[in-house]
């Protein structure tokens, strides 16, 4: 072979450099403009990463048998928090968050705290709680109308507790058996049911399908508290606040409209979708006004909603949701960004089942004079040729604007090419994928394949409330420490892509990118002092 | 986007079929000739796989918390053995075994059994064995010259055992403390030190670097028994026998020539490399004659050796091994197939360290009138841009004929293209990769990426003695059950590629492929009755 003959070793080294360069040519951080300050900051970050790989990750940590950079997040989280690199990244302007489920975005402790302030909120259990049953019995929450408030305050932990009896949230907490930890025991029980812990993810539920069962149950529990208008309002505000605190300046969040109503302050389940959007819009307005009053309006461009329903509905129901979505888009054109069907792809209906209905939806949009792009989950699976994997073909044929997860996309050469050519961004959720057992650690994640093939990618947190990866800093951290190729410039391009591939209108988008760019420059200048 | 508009749903479905087909167009099992018998056999295999996914894999198995097809091999092995699909595949003609380390190819029980027949073989330990130390103390084996045979037969388990004292293998076994299991306890201790068990791979040593430590120690222990000429001879014969029994008709095995001598029957460490090859050649001849006498010569085409040394030698030592390899090639041109440097890539020297020396080796080959292609390990790593990952560039620049492992190759678009264009086959070792913790299960393995991108691939067992994946049936099984795309025709192409990409001379290769093809036809015809 001609190309394996060299005049001398110098020529070998030249060709080697050329080969490495051509192999990386499709990366967004390859042959891109890098300022002197960025080059310096990149060097700082690479040196810090290398130093902490030894000073932090190669030392012993109690209860963590095998620490390494990019390790299982739930086990490694406390170690990550000890690193200076995490602190540096927490200050980084991250661009937009393009893939998160609203019901899963706010810290469970915060949700419980604000829920406890609501007299209408109640809790019940299918059996009295005891030391034996505490870890398997899940709480059920609901708002109740005043005339249904229970008279007495039987404790859930009382042997005489009558299964299914509602207890006010406050009373349930106050009366929780001291032998089971009292009020703190109550909090632990509730938070445990709303989050995933390391022993669930890595031991008892250590397969994709098993951890999804636990994951699904966290939504069922949390929704009882969140889908109550007074809580929802505060919840949304906190989501925005925490996002901005982490350097996220725009969110495009999936809201699950499967339930047709949420509970109102009066404890009736009668708040329709349009009112949800009104609350969302008003809260967004308040939050932006608050930031503006502090001179911080460039820190948050806004928020939009990807209308979502669940991938188990039938075709008749799909048609209802599509019409509902069009109606909402007509009233709130600035809020509705796209449409998706969500839920565990490995067990729910494939996209092909909905395809004809979804094409009809596009035709109906034209008639209605609106444009609601598909932004579909697809390929969130380990399957090879399974329905979940095959969803990628349908997502692309349906014209999806981006792909949610696309974990199995790397198996598909033609689809990789199509995504690159059409600029279909992949919403990659590193920590979510790992906790949901698609990858064992960040080191096995296919992200470098996407980046090296020139596909646009944004990093997303997916369900930070359940996973504990609040904000985007943890996801950026995991990605950065699992590679020797990616440095600060790669992170810059990931952040920039999240804004470029948002559904913002051209003028808003330009403003968002420009505001982010200015903050990026300040971040880079200050990096050594963070 | 024009290509996401359809006249009607029929057109959508047409374009969908076309897209799926074009995505799979580079696969070797795509648009290839398939006989009626093959189509029927493929259907049979797919139905059997689907049925057993439920009847076997979805049922409970004691001690296996999460069974699933393609699961961790060491835990799932006993379940695999219960399947009919495994039995069917065990009869499949597999083609050649292109990647295995000779020291790691024969069942540890067999090795111990033949070793026990050798009076020259002795064992010692660095401390007396007790219930407490049994799992951490490793045996050390060696042949001894007769005048060094120990007088007494102190038991290794005797508190008075003097550390480091040699005991004859037979005596050590016979005198093993009954409280520690007696002779069976001795066997268990030895076998445990020569193999990897599930709790090591998946718990105590559950990272790439930790399991490599255990893995390396199994070689150190086993070599004390294997590198003794009388054992070596029987060992090689058993390797051939077991390979043929599993349907492997050709082997190209890596022999580690790092030690310059092995022990002879007289207990002296004085058997040089050329005598190793003489023994190998003679044993091969005997084995082939034996098969021929049974009219089975088409079941085994032959065996060749990839000369290997270890990736920690310096450049001066490299030059010595290169000259040694040339000398052996001159004397045994039919046996020496290629050259490699082996050992854990993540911790040993990178190929770039050896590159200039290896180019000089090619020049020296020309002068000497021989051709010894590189067949290099590269990219056996989870690293992204680490030295082990970067080894892939050097392997290709050095003109490697095939790539050993190439686990991280899928991250490199340009190298993928180069391998496809030049026909550089990837020696994929599914079970090895999983046990050495590069992938958690077969479902996360990048093999489908290689296949879908049209790269030639052969399945290999790597170190079956340590992993328990004797033959190639287990590896084929794991690959088949982890995909819905691959069926029997994909396995046919993997088997065929192993012969096509061997170093056999054109005429031998044609004969090998033709013999394999005839057996394949018989296998396919008989498949429903297996």
């Amino acid at each position: 072979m001609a190309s394996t003959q060299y005049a001398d070793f110098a020529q070998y080294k030249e060709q080697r450099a050329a080969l490495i360069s051509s192999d990386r040519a499709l990366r967004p951080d390859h042959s891109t403009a890098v300022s002197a300050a960025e080059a310096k900051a990149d060097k700082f970050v690479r040196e810090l990463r290398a130093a902490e790989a030894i000073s932090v990750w190669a030392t012993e940590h109690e209860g963590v048998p095998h620490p390494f950079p990019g390790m299982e997040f739930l086990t490694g989280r406390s170690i990550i928090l000890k690193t200076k690199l995490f602190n540096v990244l927490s200050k980084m302007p991250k661009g937009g968050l393009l893939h998160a489920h609203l019901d899963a975005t706010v810290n469970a402790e915060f949700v419980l705290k604000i829920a406890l302030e609501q007299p209408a909120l109640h809790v019940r259990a299918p059996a009295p709680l005891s030391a034996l049953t505490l870890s398997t019995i899940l709480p059920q929450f609901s708002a109740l109308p005043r005339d249904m408030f229970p008279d007495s305050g039987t404790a859930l932990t009382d042997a005489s507790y009558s299964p299914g009896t509602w207890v006010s949230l406050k009373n349930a907490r106050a009366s929780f058996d001291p032998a089971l930890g009292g009020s703190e025991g109550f909090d632990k029980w509730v938070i445990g049911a709303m989050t995933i812990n390391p022993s669930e993810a890595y031991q008892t539920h250590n397969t994709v399908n098993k951890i999804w069962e636990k994951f699904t149950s966290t939504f069922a529990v949390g929704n009882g508290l969140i889908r109550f208008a007074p809580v929802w309002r505060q919840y949304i505000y906190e989501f925005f606040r925490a996002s901005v605190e982490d350097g996220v300046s725009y969110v495009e969040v999936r809201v699950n409209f499967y339930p047709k109503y949420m509970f109102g302050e009066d404890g009736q389940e009668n708040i329709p979708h349009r009112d949800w959007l009104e609350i969302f819009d008003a809260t967004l307005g308040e939050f932006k006004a608050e930031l503006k009053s502090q001179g911080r309006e460039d820190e948050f461009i806004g928020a939009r909603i990807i209308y979502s329903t669940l991938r188990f509905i039938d075709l008749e129901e799909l048609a209802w949701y599509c019409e509902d979505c069009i109606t909402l888009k007509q009233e709130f054109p600035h809020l509705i960004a796209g449409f998706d069907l969500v839920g565990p792809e490995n067990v729910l209906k494939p996209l092909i089942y909905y395809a004809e209905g979804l094409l009809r939806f596009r035709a109906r949009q034209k008639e209605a004079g609106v444009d609601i792009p598909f932004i579909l989950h697809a390929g969130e699976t380990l399957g090879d040729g399974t329905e979940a994997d095959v969803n990628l073909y349908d997502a692309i044929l349906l014209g999806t604007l981006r792909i949610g997860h696309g974990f199995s996309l790397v198996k598909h050469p033609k689809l990789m090419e199509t995504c690159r050519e059409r600029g279909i961004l992949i919403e990659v959720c590193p920590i979510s994928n790992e906790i949901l057992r698609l990858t064992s650690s960040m080191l096995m994640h296919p992200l470098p394949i996407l980046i090296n093939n020139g596909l646009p990618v944004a990093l997303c947190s997916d369900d930070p409330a359940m996973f504990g990866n609040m904000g985007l800093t943890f996801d950026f951290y995991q990605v950065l420490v699992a590679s020797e190729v990616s440095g600060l410039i790669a992170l810059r391009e990931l952040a920039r892509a999240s804004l470029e591939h948002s559904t913002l209108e051209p003028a808003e988008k330009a403003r968002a990118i420009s505001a982010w760019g200015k903050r990026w420059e300040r971040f880079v200048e200050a990096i050594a002092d963070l």
Side-chain angles (χ1 to χ4, degrees), chain A:
Chain A
M1 277 180 262
S3 50
T4 58
Q5 306 280 336
Y6 311 93
D8 52 26
F9 194 52
Q11 198 195 29
Y12 177 90
K13 284 189 287 184
E14 261 166 47
Q15 293 204 19
R16 184 177 193 266
L19 180 61
I20 295 178
S21 177
S22 94
D23 189 46
R24 295 178 182 169
L26 295 170
R27 292 176 59 94
D29 58 354
H30 189 82
S31 43
T32 176
V34 173
S35 71
E38 282 176 327
K40 201 176 150 196
D42 180 53
K43 187 165 175 279
F44 173 82
V45 161
R46 287 175 186 270
E47 286 171 0
L48 181 56
R49 173 174 67 190
E52 291 188 334
I54 294 161
S55 67
V56 176
W57 290 104
T59 59
E60 295 207 6
H61 299 273
E62 210 188 311
V64 185
H66 317 291
F68 60 89
M71 73 177 295
E72 298 86 337
F73 175 69
L74 296 176
T75 317
R77 192 176 188 277
S78 62
I79 306 176
I80 293 174
L81 289 170
K82 291 178 194 165
T83 64
K84 181 169 175 180
L85 187 56
F86 178 82
N87 184 49
V88 167
L89 293 183
S90 72
K91 308 296 192 302
M92 174 183 144
K94 315 250 175 5
L97 170 58
L98 297 184
H99 188 118
H101 299 272
L102 183 63
D103 298 349
T105 53
V106 172
N107 194 294
E109 279 89 351
F110 179 89
V111 174
L112 179 56
K113 189 173 76 79
I114 60 174
L116 279 162
E117 292 160 9
Q118 299 292 337
L121 285 176
H122 290 71
V123 58
R124 65 181 182 182
L129 297 173
S130 68
L132 270 177
T133 61
L134 197 59
S135 64
T136 52
I137 289 185
L138 297 177
Q140 189 193 346
F141 300 108
S142 182
L144 295 183
R146 178 153 287 279
D147 60 3
M148 279 181 63
F149 281 16
D151 300 330
S152 80
T154 336
L156 295 171
T157 49
D158 196 331
S160 70
Y161 169 72
S162 170
T165 310
W166 291 110
V167 182
S168 91
L169 205 55
K170 223 169 178 165
N171 285 348
R173 184 173 191 268
S175 62
F176 212 71
D177 188 349
L180 298 179
S183 298
E184 276 177 36
F186 175 83
D187 295 351
K188 213 176 140 191
W189 174 58
V190 172
I191 305 296
M194 291 170 69
T195 54
I196 294 177
N197 69 41
S199 89
E200 288 160 347
Y202 309 134
Q203 289 170 38
T204 57
H205 296 61
N206 186 15
T207 67
V208 174
N209 286 348
K210 285 204 177 183
I211 192 66
W212 261 95
E213 285 170 22
K214 161 74 194 191
F215 181 54
T216 304
S217 80
T218 63
F219 279 91
V221 171
N223 279 344
L225 299 176
I226 299 166
R227 289 178 178 273
F228 174 54
V231 167
W232 209 61
R233 189 182 298 269
Q234 293 178 70
Y235 183 98
I236 293 168
Y237 195 94
E238 172 63 14
F239 169 48
F240 296 152
R241 194 204 59 74
S243 298
V244 167
E245 186 179 72
D246 192 63
V248 172
S249 51
Y250 172 69
V251 297
E252 209 158 273
V253 68
R254 280 162 171 87
V255 174
N256 175 12
F257 286 98
Y258 176 74
K260 294 182 179 166
Y261 301 94
M262 70 166 73
F263 287 83
E265 198 156 9
D266 60 3
Q268 302 291 343
E269 195 174 5
N270 60 7
I271 311 282
H273 291 170
R274 73 155 304 284
D275 293 10
W276 303 15
L277 290 207
E278 210 164 59
I279 299 174
F280 190 95
D281 212 13
T283 309
L284 179 59
E286 276 167 42
F287 180 70
K288 291 183 76 167
E290 171 70 23
L291 277 185
K292 193 166 183 183
S293 75
Q294 299 171 20
R296 296 169 60 201
E297 62 263 50
D298 273 0
E299 292 184 33
F300 194 63
I301 302 303
R304 306 189 78 191
I305 288 171
I306 299 170
Y307 183 106
S308 305
T309 183
L310 294 168
R311 225 169 259 211
F312 55 63
I313 58 171
D314 65 23
L315 295 174
E316 206 175 313
E317 292 171 304
L318 176 67
W320 186 91
Y321 286 105
C322 291
E323 289 304 318
D324 184 50
C325 183
I326 288 173
T327 308
L328 293 174
K329 177 72 180 174
Q330 286 169 326
E331 190 175 351
F332 303 93
H334 58 296
L335 285 187
I336 299 292
F339 182 90
D340 193 8
L341 290 149
V342 307
E345 283 183 77
N346 286 322
V347 296
L348 298 184
K349 290 191 167 69
L351 282 179
I352 183 66
Y353 172 78
Y354 298 110
E356 194 167 8
L358 293 172
L359 291 174
R360 209 173 300 126
F361 179 34
R362 289 299 275 170
R364 277 286 301 124
Q365 290 175 37
K366 271 199 183 153
E367 289 166 22
V370 295
D371 179 29
I372 309 166
F374 294 125
I375 306 178
L376 298 166
H377 277 70
E380 187 186 5
T381 186
L382 287 174
D384 183 39
T386 59
E387 285 185 340
D389 180 34
V390 167
N391 278 341
L392 286 165
Y393 297 113
D394 291 294
I396 286 170
L397 287 163
L398 290 165
T400 196
L401 187 71
R402 307 191 298 255
I403 293 176
H405 292 289
F407 190 87
S408 69
L409 183 70
V410 294
K411 291 176 184 167
H412 301 284
K414 184 70 191 170
L415 301 186
M416 293 278 280
E417 193 186 303
T418 305
C419 289
R420 179 171 59 238
E421 285 172 1
R422 293 196 194 161
I424 299 174
L425 174 135
I426 316 305
E427 301 165 350
V428 171
C429 308
I431 289 171
S432 166
N433 295 157
E434 182 260 296
I435 293 176
L436 295 179
R437 307 281 72 203
L438 294 177
T439 181
S440 261
S441 75
M442 202 45 217
L443 303 186
M444 289 182 200
H445 196 284
L447 176 63
I449 308 179
L450 298 173
I451 293 179
N452 291 347
N453 278 278
L455 276 76
V457 168
L459 299 187
C460 312
S461 57
D462 202 8
D463 308 283
M466 283 70 173
F467 304 145
N469 58 330
M470 309 308 299
L472 281 172
T473 303
F474 286 111
D475 285 282
F476 273 91
Y477 182 91
Q478 290 290 76
V479 165
L480 183 65
V481 298
S483 174
E484 294 293 316
V485 184
S486 291
L488 196 63
I489 309 304
L491 301 194
R492 182 191 77 186
E493 294 304 315
L494 289 165
R496 190 210 303 272
S498 70
L499 295 171
E500 272 170 1
H501 292 264
S502 71
T503 64
L504 286 168
E505 300 302 323
E508 292 175 298
K509 192 181 286 187
R511 192 193 133 219
I513 294 172
S514 153
W516 166 81
K518 280 180 203 140
R519 295 177 67 204
W520 175 266
E521 276 174 37
R522 286 199 298 275
F523 165 68
V524 159
E525 294 285 351
I527 205 162
D529 308 319
L530 291 175

